[in-house]
Amino acid sequence: AKQSGRNRLAEFVPEMTAATQRRAALERELRRAIGAGQLAVHYQPQFDCASEALVGVEALLRWRHPEHGPISPAEFIPIAEESGLIVQLGAWVLQRACAEVAGWERAGGPALTLAVNMSARQLREPGFIEDVMRALAGSGLPPGRLELELTESLLMEDVEGAVAFMQAVRATGVRLAIDDFGTGYSSLAYLQTFPINQLKVDRSFVQLLPERGETIIHAVLALARGFGLTVVAEGVEEPAQLEWLRRAGCDVVQGYLLGKPMAPEDFAERFLTVRTP
Ligand code: C2E
Ligand code: CA
Ligand code: CA
Ligand code: CA
């Protein structure tokens, strides 16, 4: 046993080193990526479930690495969080997305809600709310059209701090949503406490529809109604899932069936009638 244990360790160490090296390299390169124009915000459309009207977008950060090509946010966001770079990246996403969404409206497009993902590290940064207000003021996007997406785990790290922070955000008119709802702990207890506007039902439940998952989503919809919250179902891929959600009275839907995340120019071309000067 000792022998095989040593063999396993010997095999494991070089791999770990390669992963650690890639991580360190990506962190270095990510630091330069903003200035080098390698980052972009892509937009995934969100639709009113009943009327099928386009009502909003979720901003999703994209990084095109000069050698490795597109790198998944699932890989680089954790690196950005651990290194603290997320503060700078997050501010860039917020500023860029507010400007792009406000620009579409000025060009004659519909008034859309903009949802932006937040990391814990960003919220703890002093001056965060001022940054948000600056992005809004600079772009002309009204506060009520910006929605910050927070995860359950982020909120549970420090409940009292989170409540105070959320109240300060809500006082500005900016909206709050719980992302990946149902995948964390204490989902029910905090609905009493946290001043939120919306729940996003996690894709893992939506993808069970229509054969399974009904009980959970019915419960989420009833809960949301009780607390006066709206519900977004994410990860809708099948027409049968959309149909089920419509009948169940879900408010908003998002997913590959209705539209993948798109570069701003592709989004504008597909969804907006943009007046050219
Ligand atoms: P998320 O916030 O849960 O975002 C939804 C993810 O699901 C996105 O992946 C989106 O492309 C994908 N998706 C949307 N519809 C479907 C569908 O119908 N089927 C499937 N299979 N997937 C779908 P993406 O863009 O790779 O982002 C992954 C995660 O990275 C996000 O998960 C979010 O947690 C994080 N992230 C992305 N952009 C940012 C950002 O600007 N800031 C922060 N803090 N995190 C971000
Ligand atoms: Ca999200
Ligand atoms: Ca999500
Ligand atoms: Ca997620």
Side-chain angles (χ1 to χ4, degrees):
K2 214 172 193 177
Q3 183 65 37
S4 73
R6 198 156 50 225
N7 285 345
R8 275 203 307 274
L9 184 67
E11 281 162 31
F12 184 61
V13 167
E15 258 176 62
M16 211 172 72
T17 307
T20 307
Q21 276 170 354
R22 175 172 162 104
R23 227 183 140 82
L26 288 182
E27 185 187 323
R28 245 183 354 259
E29 291 155 357
L30 189 53
R31 222 170 265 285
R32 289 194 299 259
I34 300 185
Q38 295 164 14
L39 298 178
V41 180
H42 282 201
Y43 298 91
Q44 186 173 30
Q46 300 179 322
F47 298 88
D48 181 89
C49 207
S51 70
E52 293 182 24
L54 175 71
V55 290
V57 289
E58 178 173 4
L60 294 157
L61 184 56
R62 294 290 179 261
W63 179 17
R64 183 172 287 277
H65 189 282
E67 290 126 49
H68 308 307
I71 299 185
S72 166
E75 181 173 14
F76 74 80
I77 293 283
I79 296 174
E81 285 174 343
E82 273 163 44
S83 61
L85 257 177
I86 192 69
V87 173
Q88 207 189 326
L89 284 184
W92 183 83
V93 169
L94 206 55
Q95 185 272 328
R96 182 62 167 256
C98 287
E100 278 173 336
V101 170
W104 293 334
E105 190 182 344
R106 261 197 301 278
L112 301 176
T113 298
L114 165 65
V116 181
N117 293 287
M118 292 291 131
S119 296
R121 185 68 184 267
Q122 270 177 283
L123 310 189
R124 280 197 295 265
E125 191 70 10
F128 172 78
I129 292 181
E130 287 75 10
D131 284 351
V132 172
M133 296 319 287
R134 206 172 304 120
L136 289 170
S139 64
L141 191 75
R145 298 255 303 287
L146 177 65
E147 187 162 71
L148 307 182
E149 294 195 356
L150 315 173
T151 59
E152 296 172 55
S153 55
L154 179 161
L155 298 172
M156 299 317 292
E157 276 172 27
D158 165 19
V159 173
E160 271 177 46
V163 170
F165 168 80
M166 293 170 98
Q167 284 166 344
V169 170
R170 290 296 307 281
T172 68
V174 170
R175 295 164 51 88
L176 294 170
I178 307 277
D179 202 359
D180 307 337
F181 184 74
T183 59
Y185 299 102
S186 316
S187 310
L188 303 185
Y190 68 59
L191 289 178
Q192 294 272 34
T193 324
F194 291 153
I196 52 175
N197 304 93
Q198 182 158 278
L199 300 177
K200 290 192 87 172
V201 184
D202 193 64
R203 185 171 84 214
S204 57
F205 301 115
V206 174
Q207 287 184 338
L208 297 174
L209 295 173
E211 289 84 17
R212 294 177 299 136
E214 301 109 303
T215 311
I216 289 173
I217 299 183
H218 273 311
V220 172
L221 288 166
L223 205 57
R225 221 164 278 137
F227 284 106
L229 311 174
T230 55
V231 175
V232 181
E234 58 178 353
V236 178
E237 292 182 352
E238 307 285 340
Q241 294 165 347
L242 179 61
E243 190 44 37
W244 189 94
L245 289 160
R246 187 176 289 134
R247 282 177 204 221
C250 181
D251 301 287
V252 175
V253 280
Q254 177 183 351
Y256 290 171
L257 175 69
L258 303 141
K260 291 193 173 181
M262 284 166 258
E265 51 281 9
D266 297 335
F267 186 88
E269 193 183 300
R270 173 145 170 215
F271 291 107
L272 311 164
T273 333
V274 177
R275 256 190 277 120
T276 41

